[in-house]
Amino acid sequence: MNNETFGMTFQYAICLHFKIENDISISRIDQGLLESFIESKILDKIFRGKPKPVEYLTTSKKFTSPYITRCPHNFLLENEETFSVRTFRDKGKMFAPKVVGQAGDETFNHFFGDLYPETINRSNFKNFCLTKINEILPIVVDYALVSDYNCWFYRKDDQFSYEVLKRDDLPELTYNFSDFSFTKPTTTSWNESNTVKFKGKTVLELQLHNNRRGYMELLH
């Protein structure tokens, strides 16, 4: 089972549990996994003491703009706040933050362009990342926690586990450039992938492939 099936099945379980209308195709659902979610009563634990979801947003056009073409949230809550879930088949996996993680050139420049003196494109993407990583990471983290409530859901030791991070609890993030290092510290040594470390710990994966745009993955 891939992570997409894992994630869509979990979103579908939320819709079933709270009787929310949705357009999720049954072909994207793993029935055995769905039953496991329901039997575990994990949804009651996740939403205990929190506002309940009332609308499915993943495929809607709400909260979109010319630079955000897909809704960045999965559910609207009864108090008008937003809720999103990131699913991982295990803890410690990489994921692309919504909106900015795999953005096209125009969108990428909209969110990061003010950090660099020229338009960011394939030819200068590497230099931009190598010289501006301390300013890039706060934006990446900001969109990793784009919803009011952000649930990271994963399977650990054959048990379902989760963390719910509230956007309001996110502190103001500033980083010193000297605390970062790269596995490929120059544009010439960087071929496709480049791992970013903060104080020696992996935090981000940068990629620039020949047949696709550059993108970023954050470590969960």
Side-chain angles (χ1 to χ4, degrees):
M1 181 197 311
N2 58 34
N3 195 52
E4 181 183 0
T5 300
F6 190 79
M8 293 309 302
T9 302
F10 188 67
Q11 290 187 38
Y12 188 68
I14 294 175
C15 291
L16 284 184
H17 188 76
F18 293 101
K19 298 180 174 58
I20 300 171
E21 184 178 347
N22 66 87
D23 56 0
I24 302 174
S25 171
I26 200 67
S27 64
R28 304 180 72 183
I29 306 306
D30 184 287
Q31 290 296 332
L33 181 63
L34 178 62
E35 292 177 9
S36 296
F37 288 150
I38 295 171
E39 292 172 1
S40 70
K41 301 188 183 302
I42 192 70
L43 295 177
D44 290 326
K45 297 177 182 177
I46 291 174
F47 288 98
R48 184 174 297 137
K50 301 180 184 66
K52 303 300 185 287
V54 295
E55 184 180 349
Y56 184 62
L57 295 178
T58 302
T59 54
S60 79
K61 284 298 182 181
K62 292 187 175 182
F63 302 98
T64 60
S65 74
Y67 300 103
I68 304 175
T69 57
R70 298 176 61 183
C71 183
H73 316 293
N74 297 132
F75 293 92
L76 184 69
L77 304 178
E78 58 189 351
N79 66 344
E80 299 297 317
E81 290 185 311
T82 53
F83 179 94
S84 287
V85 59
R86 278 284 186 178
T87 51
F88 308 86
R89 286 182 293 169
D90 198 359
K91 190 173 175 63
K93 299 295 183 180
M94 306 295 287
F95 71 98
K98 294 181 179 181
V99 181
V100 300
Q102 297 183 16
D105 290 345
E106 185 177 1
T107 297
F108 193 89
N109 276 278
H110 175 74
F111 290 104
F112 296 99
D114 61 336
L115 304 181
Y116 205 61
E118 55 190 81
T119 300
I120 304 164
N121 52 40
R122 288 186 58 82
S123 64
N124 59 24
F125 175 78
K126 294 179 182 180
N127 186 68
F128 166 65
C129 294
L130 291 172
T131 59
K132 298 292 184 177
I133 188 60
N134 60 311
E135 298 176 73
I136 293 171
L137 189 58
I139 299 174
V140 173
V141 173
D142 189 44
Y143 280 93
L145 303 175
V146 67
S147 300
D148 295 301
Y149 290 89
N150 303 273
C151 177
W152 291 356
F153 184 79
Y154 51 92
R155 192 196 300 264
K156 181 180 180 183
D157 299 328
D158 292 326
Q159 299 291 323
F160 297 128
S161 300
Y162 68 93
E163 302 168 54
V164 177
L165 305 175
K166 203 167 188 303
R167 184 172 178 80
D168 286 348
D169 296 336
L170 181 67
E172 188 71 25
L173 298 176
T174 56
Y175 299 101
N176 293 320
F177 182 81
S178 59
D179 288 326
F180 289 91
S181 61
F182 300 84
T183 54
K184 308 292 176 55
T186 65
T187 57
T188 52
S189 63
W190 179 352
N191 183 17
E192 291 189 349
S193 297
N194 199 351
T195 300
V196 182
K197 296 179 181 291
F198 177 72
K199 296 183 178 180
K201 294 184 178 181
T202 297
V203 292
L204 194 67
E205 187 80 15
L206 303 170
Q207 300 196 28
L208 183 64
H209 295 300
N210 292 330
N211 60 349
R212 64 187 300 182
R213 61 181 178 266
Y215 67 97
M216 307 176 178
E217 291 188 315
L218 191 65
L219 180 67
H220 165 230

